[in-house]
Amino acid sequence: MPVLLFVDDEPNILSSLRRLFRPHSYKILIANSGQEGLDIMEKETVDLVISDMRMPVMDGAVFLTNVKARWPNTIRLLLTGYADIQSTIDAINRGEIYRYITKPWNDNDIVLVVKQALERKYLENEKKRLEELTFRQNEELKSLNANLEAKVEERTADLKKAHASLLVANDKLKSNFLTSIKVFSNVIEMRGNKLVGHSRRVADLSRKLAKKLNLDSRETQEIFVAALMLDIGKIGFSDELLATPVSQMNGEELGQFHKHTLRAEQLLMPLQDLQTAAKIIRHQHERFDGRGFPDGLTGENIPFGARILALASDYDNLQNGSLVAKRVSVEDAQAIIIRGAGNRYDEKVVLAFRQIINNLPDDVDDKEISIMHLEPGMILSADVISKDGMLLLPADYVLDQHIIGKLALFEHPASAKLVIRVYSNRRK
């Protein structure tokens, strides 16, 4: 159970925060001053702290700076008024806070910020653990392989036994990666070949289709996440099978291929927040006319997200050679998709696809912009999503110079261009 600490010299503020977060299965701690907050953290392991800016003796900036120095892994949030903007900037620089929240706050917003912060902390910790595990096992494998190569002729039996151990270790490593699938959503693409960039392109097109079909932000996000992970069931495929177009697979290979959506659903089963995405992935190969797999669903019985994913995935696979041996041109791929309306694909989804490829104007007057051209006051027209599908900033967020700098730092080390869209004529 995550532990939250609220620090404020006003009892009514502490009461409001405790009442707001009590139904969300958090352990709540409160402190009436910065020093009391530090004393509590000496005794308790705190995951996230929310501190008011204006407090006597030790203000929020000083308190959070102390928290950063002594407990750097604790997430730090700052409550502040509009009049405290300069102090807030100083606090951000000194205490490296995760987010500041203006008073009076919106209950839904502050609950969402805390939830996202805790999820991000969990994923970062899990990523670090898995990277350390991978490094250790790789070092063990290197050492073992060196010994085996030196003794291969005289110790064939030992080599076979070691090989079996390596297979078990490899299976365990895969299992550990799959428990953190939201972080490693593109693990299949690391195999290279036709899969490179596939899930990202499918996710982008799926999100455009969902928006064109007027799905709400929650459904759009679920479809986007499902598209990022559409191929995780192929993680056990051999390199040869991954490189073989579906049209050229033999019976045994087709049997493995037809099971990949079921395997994906099983892998995601322990993750409660991804159950809708798992259902979409399971049904991505259903056909509108009922001749698909694994369940032979027809028409409206197929989840809407799966109908969108089917079209987006096929469109990219036609062009990268995953469906047929010869890569199909963009124009021919579009024609094939359009001809499939009513049998392979939902006619509504095909219509949205045609609107997108014909560049029909959207209702939203926005544009894509690079980080170097961002200016304070611009308003995001769409979520800013990292390469691994994590929400960095929500739509309608008003940019300031500090956040623009953070985005630039985030993009540079990863060498991954962020897709940033802003309203053309709206500023604050």
Side-chain angles (χ1 to χ4, degrees), residues 249-315:
M249 290 182 181
N250 59 36
E252 181 179 351
E253 291 170 337
L254 280 174
Q256 293 185 58
F257 178 78
H258 283 182
K259 294 177 182 178
H260 85 88
T261 59
L262 300 178
R263 188 178 297 113
E265 185 182 40
Q266 293 169 357
L267 293 171
L268 296 176
M269 189 179 299
L271 304 177
Q272 186 62 37
D273 291 342
L274 295 180
Q275 293 309 295
T276 300
K279 186 177 181 181
I280 292 172
I281 294 171
R282 174 190 176 99
H283 296 295
Q284 62 178 293
H285 292 303
E286 303 286 1
R287 290 173 55 102
F288 203 68
D289 59 11
R291 293 189 293 148
F293 65 89
D295 301 315
L297 302 182
T298 61
E300 303 292 330
N301 293 320
I302 304 171
F304 206 174
R307 285 177 260 160
I308 290 174
L309 189 56
L311 185 151
S313 179
D314 282 0
Y315 180 58

Coordinates of all heavy atoms in Angstrom, one line a residue, residues 249-315:
M249 N 3.7 -19.0 -44.5 CA 3.9 -19.9 -43.3 C 3.3 -21.2 -43.6 O 2.3 -21.4 -44.3 CB 3.2 -19.3 -42.1 CG 3.9 -18.0 -41.6 SD 3.0 -17.4 -40.1 CE 4.0 -16.0 -39.7
N250 N 4.0 -22.3 -43.1 CA 3.4 -23.6 -43.3 C 2.4 -23.9 -42.1 O 2.2 -23.0 -41.3 CB 4.6 -24.7 -43.2 CG 5.4 -24.6 -42.0 OD1 4.9 -24.3 -40.9 ND2 6.7 -24.8 -42.1
G251 N 1.9 -25.1 -42.1 CA 0.8 -25.4 -41.1 C 1.3 -25.2 -39.7 O 0.6 -24.6 -38.9
E252 N 2.5 -25.7 -39.3 CA 3.0 -25.6 -38.0 C 3.2 -24.1 -37.6 O 2.8 -23.7 -36.5 CB 4.2 -26.4 -37.8 CG 4.8 -26.3 -36.4 CD 6.1 -27.1 -36.3 OE1 6.4 -27.8 -37.2 OE2 6.8 -27.0 -35.2
E253 N 3.8 -23.4 -38.5 CA 4.0 -21.9 -38.3 C 2.7 -21.2 -38.1 O 2.6 -20.3 -37.2 CB 4.9 -21.4 -39.4 CG 6.3 -21.9 -39.4 CD 7.0 -21.5 -40.7 OE1 6.4 -21.2 -41.7 OE2 8.3 -21.5 -40.7
L254 N 1.7 -21.5 -38.9 CA 0.4 -20.8 -38.8 C -0.2 -21.1 -37.4 O -0.9 -20.3 -36.8 CB -0.5 -21.2 -39.9 CG -0.3 -20.5 -41.3 CD1 -1.2 -21.1 -42.3 CD2 -0.6 -19.0 -41.1
G255 N 0.0 -22.4 -37.0 CA -0.5 -22.7 -35.7 C 0.0 -21.9 -34.6 O -0.7 -21.4 -33.7
Q256 N 1.3 -21.7 -34.6 CA 2.0 -20.8 -33.6 C 1.5 -19.4 -33.8 O 1.2 -18.7 -32.8 CB 3.5 -20.8 -33.8 CG 4.2 -22.1 -33.5 CD 5.7 -22.0 -33.5 OE1 6.3 -21.2 -32.8 NE2 6.3 -22.8 -34.4
F257 N 1.4 -18.9 -35.0 CA 1.0 -17.5 -35.3 C -0.5 -17.3 -34.7 O -0.7 -16.2 -34.1 CB 1.0 -17.2 -36.8 CG 0.6 -15.8 -37.1 CD1 1.4 -14.7 -36.9 CD2 -0.7 -15.6 -37.7 CE1 1.0 -13.5 -37.3 CE2 -1.1 -14.3 -38.0 CZ -0.3 -13.3 -37.8
H258 N -1.4 -18.2 -35.0 CA -2.7 -18.0 -34.5 C -2.9 -18.0 -33.0 O -4.0 -17.6 -32.5 CB -3.6 -19.2 -35.1 CG -3.9 -19.0 -36.6 ND1 -4.7 -19.9 -37.3 CD2 -3.5 -18.1 -37.5 CE1 -4.8 -19.5 -38.5 NE2 -4.1 -18.4 -38.7
K259 N -1.9 -18.4 -32.3 CA -2.0 -18.4 -30.8 C -1.4 -17.2 -30.2 O -1.5 -17.0 -29.0 CB -1.3 -19.7 -30.3 CG -1.9 -21.0 -30.6 CD -1.1 -22.2 -30.1 CE -1.8 -23.5 -30.5 NZ -0.9 -24.6 -30.0
H260 N -0.8 -16.3 -31.0 CA 0.0 -15.2 -30.4 C -1.0 -14.2 -29.6 O -0.6 -13.6 -28.6 CB 0.9 -14.5 -31.4 CG 0.2 -13.4 -32.2 ND1 0.1 -12.1 -31.8 CD2 -0.4 -13.5 -33.4 CE1 -0.4 -11.4 -32.7 NE2 -0.8 -12.2 -33.7
T261 N -2.2 -14.0 -30.1 CA -3.1 -13.1 -29.4 C -3.6 -13.7 -28.1 O -3.8 -12.9 -27.1 CB -4.3 -12.7 -30.3 OG1 -5.0 -13.9 -30.7 CG2 -3.8 -12.1 -31.6
L262 N -3.8 -15.0 -28.1 CA -4.2 -15.6 -26.8 C -3.0 -15.6 -25.8 O -3.3 -15.4 -24.6 CB -4.6 -17.1 -27.1 CG -5.7 -17.3 -28.1 CD1 -6.0 -18.8 -28.3 CD2 -7.0 -16.7 -27.5
R263 N -1.8 -15.8 -26.3 CA -0.7 -15.7 -25.4 C -0.5 -14.3 -24.8 O -0.2 -14.1 -23.7 CB 0.6 -16.1 -26.2 CG 1.8 -16.2 -25.3 CD 3.0 -16.7 -26.0 NE 2.8 -18.0 -26.6 CZ 2.7 -18.3 -27.9 NH1 2.8 -17.3 -28.8 NH2 2.6 -19.5 -28.4
A264 N -0.8 -13.3 -25.7 CA -0.7 -11.9 -25.2 C -1.7 -11.6 -24.1 O -1.4 -11.0 -23.1 CB -0.9 -11.0 -26.4
E265 N -2.9 -12.1 -24.3 CA -3.9 -11.9 -23.3 C -3.5 -12.6 -22.0 O -3.7 -12.0 -20.9 CB -5.3 -12.5 -23.8 CG -6.4 -12.3 -22.8 CD -7.7 -12.9 -23.3 OE1 -7.7 -14.0 -23.8 OE2 -8.8 -12.2 -23.2
Q266 N -2.9 -13.8 -22.0 CA -2.5 -14.5 -20.8 C -1.4 -13.7 -20.1 O -1.4 -13.6 -18.9 CB -2.0 -15.9 -21.2 CG -3.1 -16.8 -21.7 CD -2.6 -18.1 -22.3 OE1 -1.3 -18.3 -22.4 NE2 -3.4 -19.0 -22.7
L267 N -0.5 -13.1 -20.9 CA 0.6 -12.4 -20.3 C 0.1 -11.1 -19.5 O 0.7 -10.7 -18.5 CB 1.6 -12.0 -21.4 CG 2.4 -13.1 -22.1 CD1 3.2 -12.6 -23.2 CD2 3.3 -13.8 -21.1
L268 N -0.9 -10.5 -20.1 CA -1.4 -9.3 -19.5 C -2.5 -9.5 -18.4 O -2.9 -8.6 -17.7 CB -2.1 -8.4 -20.6 CG -1.1 -7.9 -21.6 CD1 -1.9 -7.1 -22.7 CD2 0.0 -7.1 -21.0
M269 N -2.9 -10.8 -18.2 CA -3.9 -11.1 -17.2 C -3.6 -10.6 -15.8 O -4.5 -10.1 -15.2 CB -4.1 -12.6 -17.2 CG -5.4 -13.1 -16.4 SD -5.6 -14.9 -16.4 CE -5.8 -15.2 -18.2
P270 N -2.4 -10.6 -15.3 CA -2.2 -10.2 -13.9 C -2.3 -8.7 -13.8 O -2.4 -8.2 -12.7 CB -0.7 -10.6 -13.6 CG -0.4 -11.7 -14.6 CD -1.2 -11.3 -15.9
L271 N -2.2 -7.9 -14.9 CA -2.3 -6.4 -14.8 C -3.7 -5.9 -15.0 O -4.2 -5.9 -16.1 CB -1.4 -5.9 -15.9 CG 0.1 -6.4 -15.9 CD1 0.9 -5.8 -17.0 CD2 0.8 -6.0 -14.5
Q272 N -4.3 -5.6 -13.8 CA -5.7 -5.2 -13.8 C -6.0 -4.0 -14.7 O -7.1 -4.0 -15.4 CB -6.1 -4.9 -12.4 CG -7.6 -4.7 -12.2 CD -8.5 -5.9 -12.6 OE1 -8.1 -7.0 -12.3 NE2 -9.6 -5.6 -13.2
D273 N -5.1 -3.1 -14.8 CA -5.4 -1.9 -15.6 C -5.3 -2.1 -17.1 O -5.7 -1.2 -17.9 CB -4.4 -0.8 -15.2 CG -4.6 -0.2 -13.8 OD1 -5.7 -0.4 -13.3 OD2 -3.7 0.4 -13.2
L274 N -4.8 -3.3 -17.5 CA -4.7 -3.5 -18.9 C -5.6 -4.6 -19.4 O -5.4 -5.2 -20.5 CB -3.2 -4.0 -19.2 CG -2.1 -2.9 -19.0 CD1 -0.8 -3.5 -19.3 CD2 -2.4 -1.7 -19.8
Q275 N -6.7 -4.9 -18.7 CA -7.6 -5.9 -19.1 C -8.3 -5.5 -20.4 O -8.6 -6.4 -21.3 CB -8.6 -6.2 -18.0 CG -8.0 -6.8 -16.8 CD -7.2 -8.0 -17.1 OE1 -7.7 -9.1 -17.6 NE2 -5.9 -7.9 -16.9
T276 N -8.7 -4.3 -20.6 CA -9.4 -3.8 -21.8 C -8.4 -3.9 -23.0 O -8.8 -4.4 -24.1 CB -9.9 -2.4 -21.7 OG1 -10.8 -2.3 -20.6 CG2 -10.6 -1.9 -23.0
A277 N -7.2 -3.5 -22.8 CA -6.2 -3.6 -23.8 C -5.9 -5.1 -24.2 O -5.8 -5.4 -25.4 CB -4.9 -2.9 -23.4
A278 N -5.9 -6.0 -23.2 CA -5.7 -7.4 -23.5 C -6.8 -7.9 -24.4 O -6.6 -8.8 -25.2 CB -5.6 -8.1 -22.2
K279 N -8.1 -7.5 -24.1 CA -9.2 -8.0 -24.9 C -9.1 -7.5 -26.3 O -9.4 -8.2 -27.3 CB -10.5 -7.5 -24.3 CG -11.8 -8.0 -24.9 CD -13.0 -7.5 -24.2 CE -14.3 -8.1 -24.8 NZ -15.5 -7.6 -24.1
I280 N -8.6 -6.2 -26.5 CA -8.5 -5.7 -27.9 C -7.4 -6.5 -28.6 O -7.6 -6.9 -29.8 CB -8.1 -4.2 -27.8 CG1 -9.2 -3.4 -27.3 CG2 -7.6 -3.7 -29.1 CD1 -8.9 -1.9 -27.0
I281 N -6.3 -6.8 -27.9 CA -5.2 -7.5 -28.6 C -5.7 -8.9 -28.9 O -5.3 -9.5 -30.0 CB -4.0 -7.6 -27.6 CG1 -3.4 -6.2 -27.4 CG2 -2.9 -8.5 -28.2 CD1 -2.4 -6.1 -26.4
R282 N -6.5 -9.6 -28.1 CA -7.0 -10.9 -28.3 C -7.7 -11.0 -29.6 O -7.6 -11.9 -30.4 CB -7.9 -11.4 -27.2 CG -8.5 -12.8 -27.5 CD -9.6 -13.1 -26.4 NE -10.3 -14.3 -26.8 CZ -10.0 -15.5 -26.2 NH1 -9.0 -15.6 -25.3 NH2 -10.7 -16.6 -26.6
H283 N -8.5 -10.0 -29.9 CA -9.5 -10.0 -31.1 C -9.0 -9.2 -32.3 O -9.7 -8.9 -33.2 CB -10.8 -9.5 -30.6 CG -11.5 -10.3 -29.6 ND1 -11.9 -11.6 -29.8 CD2 -11.8 -10.1 -28.3 CE1 -12.4 -12.1 -28.7 NE2 -12.4 -11.2 -27.8
Q284 N -7.7 -8.9 -32.3 CA -7.2 -8.0 -33.4 C -7.2 -8.7 -34.8 O -7.2 -8.1 -35.8 CB -5.7 -7.6 -33.1 CG -4.7 -8.8 -33.0 CD -3.3 -8.3 -32.8 OE1 -2.7 -7.7 -33.7 NE2 -2.8 -8.6 -31.6
H285 N -7.3 -10.1 -34.8 CA -7.4 -10.8 -36.1 C -8.8 -11.3 -36.4 O -9.0 -12.1 -37.3 CB -6.4 -12.0 -36.0 CG -5.0 -11.6 -36.0 ND1 -4.4 -10.8 -37.0 CD2 -4.0 -11.9 -35.1 CE1 -3.1 -10.6 -36.7 NE2 -2.8 -11.2 -35.6
E286 N -9.8 -10.9 -35.6 CA -11.2 -11.2 -36.0 C -11.5 -10.4 -37.3 O -11.0 -9.3 -37.6 CB -12.1 -10.8 -34.9 CG -11.9 -11.4 -33.5 CD -12.2 -12.9 -33.4 OE1 -12.7 -13.4 -34.4 OE2 -12.0 -13.4 -32.3
R287 N -12.4 -11.0 -38.1 CA -12.9 -10.4 -39.3 C -14.3 -9.9 -39.1 O -15.1 -10.6 -38.4 CB -12.8 -11.3 -40.5 CG -11.4 -11.7 -41.0 CD -11.4 -12.7 -42.0 NE -12.3 -12.4 -43.1 CZ -11.8 -11.9 -44.3 NH1 -10.5 -11.8 -44.5 NH2 -12.7 -11.6 -45.3
F288 N -14.7 -8.8 -39.8 CA -16.1 -8.3 -39.6 C -17.1 -9.3 -40.1 O -18.2 -9.4 -39.6 CB -16.2 -7.0 -40.4 CG -17.3 -6.1 -39.9 CD1 -17.2 -5.5 -38.6 CD2 -18.4 -5.9 -40.7 CE1 -18.2 -4.7 -38.2 CE2 -19.5 -5.1 -40.2 CZ -19.3 -4.5 -38.9
D289 N -16.7 -10.2 -41.1 CA -17.6 -11.2 -41.6 C -17.6 -12.5 -40.8 O -18.3 -13.5 -41.2 CB -17.3 -11.5 -43.1 CG -15.9 -12.0 -43.3 OD1 -15.2 -12.3 -42.3 OD2 -15.5 -12.0 -44.5
G290 N -16.8 -12.6 -39.7 CA -16.8 -13.7 -38.9 C -15.8 -14.8 -39.2 O -15.8 -15.9 -38.6
R291 N -15.0 -14.6 -40.2 CA -14.0 -15.6 -40.6 C -12.6 -15.4 -40.1 O -11.7 -16.0 -40.6 CB -13.9 -15.7 -42.2 CG -15.3 -16.1 -42.8 CD -15.1 -16.3 -44.3 NE -14.8 -15.1 -45.0 CZ -14.1 -15.0 -46.1 NH1 -13.5 -16.1 -46.6 NH2 -13.9 -13.8 -46.7
G292 N -12.5 -14.7 -39.0 CA -11.2 -14.5 -38.3 C -11.0 -15.4 -37.2 O -11.7 -16.4 -37.0
F293 N -10.0 -15.1 -36.4 CA -9.6 -15.9 -35.2 C -9.2 -15.0 -34.1 O -9.0 -13.8 -34.3 CB -8.5 -16.9 -35.6 CG -7.2 -16.2 -35.9 CD1 -6.2 -15.9 -34.9 CD2 -6.9 -15.9 -37.2 CE1 -5.0 -15.3 -35.2 CE2 -5.7 -15.3 -37.5 CZ -4.7 -15.0 -36.5
P294 N -9.3 -15.4 -32.8 CA -9.4 -16.8 -32.4 C -10.9 -17.3 -32.1 O -11.1 -18.5 -32.0 CB -8.7 -16.9 -31.1 CG -8.9 -15.5 -30.5 CD -8.9 -14.6 -31.7
D295 N -11.9 -16.4 -32.1 CA -13.2 -16.7 -31.7 C -14.3 -16.6 -32.8 O -15.4 -16.9 -32.5 CB -13.6 -15.8 -30.5 CG -12.7 -16.0 -29.3 OD1 -12.3 -17.1 -29.0 OD2 -12.3 -15.0 -28.7
G296 N -13.9 -16.2 -34.0 CA -14.8 -16.1 -35.1 C -16.0 -15.1 -34.8 O -17.1 -15.3 -35.2
L297 N -15.7 -14.0 -34.1 CA -16.7 -13.0 -33.8 C -17.1 -12.3 -35.1 O -16.3 -12.2 -36.0 CB -16.2 -12.0 -32.8 CG -15.8 -12.6 -31.4 CD1 -15.4 -11.5 -30.5 CD2 -16.9 -13.4 -30.8
T298 N -18.3 -11.8 -35.1 CA -18.8 -11.0 -36.3 C -19.2 -9.6 -35.9 O -19.7 -9.4 -34.8 CB -20.0 -11.8 -36.9 OG1 -21.1 -11.8 -36.0 CG2 -19.6 -13.2 -37.4
G299 N -19.1 -8.7 -36.9 CA -19.7 -7.4 -36.8 C -19.5 -6.7 -35.5 O -18.4 -6.6 -35.0
E300 N -20.6 -6.2 -34.9 CA -20.5 -5.4 -33.7 C -20.1 -6.2 -32.5 O -19.8 -5.6 -31.4 CB -21.9 -4.7 -33.4 CG -22.4 -3.8 -34.6 CD -21.6 -2.6 -34.8 OE1 -21.0 -2.1 -33.8 OE2 -21.5 -2.1 -35.9
N301 N -20.1 -7.5 -32.6 CA -19.6 -8.3 -31.5 C -18.1 -8.2 -31.2 O -17.6 -8.6 -30.1 CB -20.0 -9.8 -31.7 CG -21.5 -10.0 -31.7 OD1 -22.2 -9.4 -30.9 ND2 -22.0 -10.8 -32.6
I302 N -17.4 -7.8 -32.2 CA -16.0 -7.6 -32.1 C -15.7 -6.2 -31.4 O -16.3 -5.2 -31.7 CB -15.3 -7.5 -33.5 CG1 -15.6 -8.8 -34.3 CG2 -13.8 -7.3 -33.3 CD1 -15.1 -8.7 -35.7
P303 N -14.9 -6.2 -30.3 CA -14.6 -4.9 -29.6 C -14.2 -3.8 -30.6 O -13.5 -4.1 -31.6 CB -13.5 -5.3 -28.7 CG -13.7 -6.8 -28.4 CD -14.2 -7.3 -29.7
F304 N -14.7 -2.6 -30.4 CA -14.5 -1.6 -31.4 C -13.0 -1.3 -31.5 O -12.4 -1.1 -32.6 CB -15.2 -0.3 -30.9 CG -15.5 0.7 -32.0 CD1 -16.2 1.8 -31.7 CD2 -15.0 0.5 -33.3 CE1 -16.5 2.7 -32.7 CE2 -15.4 1.4 -34.3 CZ -16.1 2.5 -34.0
G305 N -12.3 -1.4 -30.4 CA -10.8 -1.2 -30.4 C -10.1 -2.2 -31.3 O -9.1 -1.9 -32.0
A306 N -10.6 -3.5 -31.2 CA -10.0 -4.5 -32.1 C -10.3 -4.3 -33.5 O -9.4 -4.6 -34.4 CB -10.5 -5.9 -31.6
R307 N -11.4 -3.8 -33.9 CA -11.7 -3.4 -35.3 C -10.8 -2.3 -35.8 O -10.4 -2.4 -37.0 CB -13.2 -3.0 -35.4 CG -14.2 -4.1 -35.3 CD -15.6 -3.6 -35.4 NE -16.2 -3.5 -34.0 CZ -17.3 -2.7 -33.8 NH1 -17.8 -1.9 -34.7 NH2 -17.8 -2.7 -32.5
I308 N -10.5 -1.4 -35.0 CA -9.6 -0.3 -35.3 C -8.2 -0.9 -35.5 O -7.4 -0.6 -36.5 CB -9.6 0.8 -34.3 CG1 -10.9 1.6 -34.4 CG2 -8.4 1.8 -34.5 CD1 -11.1 2.6 -33.3
L309 N -7.8 -1.7 -34.5 CA -6.4 -2.3 -34.5 C -6.2 -3.2 -35.7 O -5.1 -3.2 -36.3 CB -6.2 -3.0 -33.2 CG -4.8 -3.5 -32.9 CD1 -3.8 -2.4 -32.9 CD2 -4.7 -4.3 -31.6
A310 N -7.2 -3.9 -36.1 CA -7.1 -4.8 -37.3 C -6.7 -4.1 -38.5 O -5.8 -4.5 -39.3 CB -8.4 -5.6 -37.5
L311 N -7.4 -3.0 -38.8 CA -7.1 -2.2 -40.0 C -5.7 -1.5 -39.9 O -4.9 -1.6 -40.8 CB -8.2 -1.1 -40.1 CG -8.1 -0.3 -41.4 CD1 -9.5 0.2 -41.8 CD2 -7.2 1.0 -41.2
A312 N -5.4 -0.9 -38.8 CA -4.2 -0.2 -38.6 C -3.0 -1.1 -38.8 O -2.0 -0.8 -39.4 CB -4.1 0.5 -37.3
S313 N -3.1 -2.3 -38.1 CA -2.0 -3.3 -38.2 C -1.8 -3.8 -39.6 O -0.7 -3.9 -40.1 CB -2.3 -4.4 -37.2 OG -1.2 -5.4 -37.3
D314 N -2.9 -4.2 -40.3 CA -2.8 -4.7 -41.6 C -2.2 -3.7 -42.6 O -1.4 -4.0 -43.5 CB -4.2 -5.2 -42.1 CG -4.6 -6.5 -41.6 OD1 -3.8 -7.1 -40.8 OD2 -5.7 -7.0 -41.9
Y315 N -2.6 -2.5 -42.4 CA -2.1 -1.4 -43.3 C -0.6 -1.3 -43.2 O 0.1 -1.2 -44.3 CB -2.8 -0.1 -42.9 CG -2.3 1.1 -43.8 CD1 -2.5 1.1 -45.1 CD2 -1.7 2.2 -43.2 CE1 -2.1 2.2 -45.9 CE2 -1.3 3.3 -43.9 CZ -1.5 3.3 -45.3 OH -1.1 4.4 -46.1

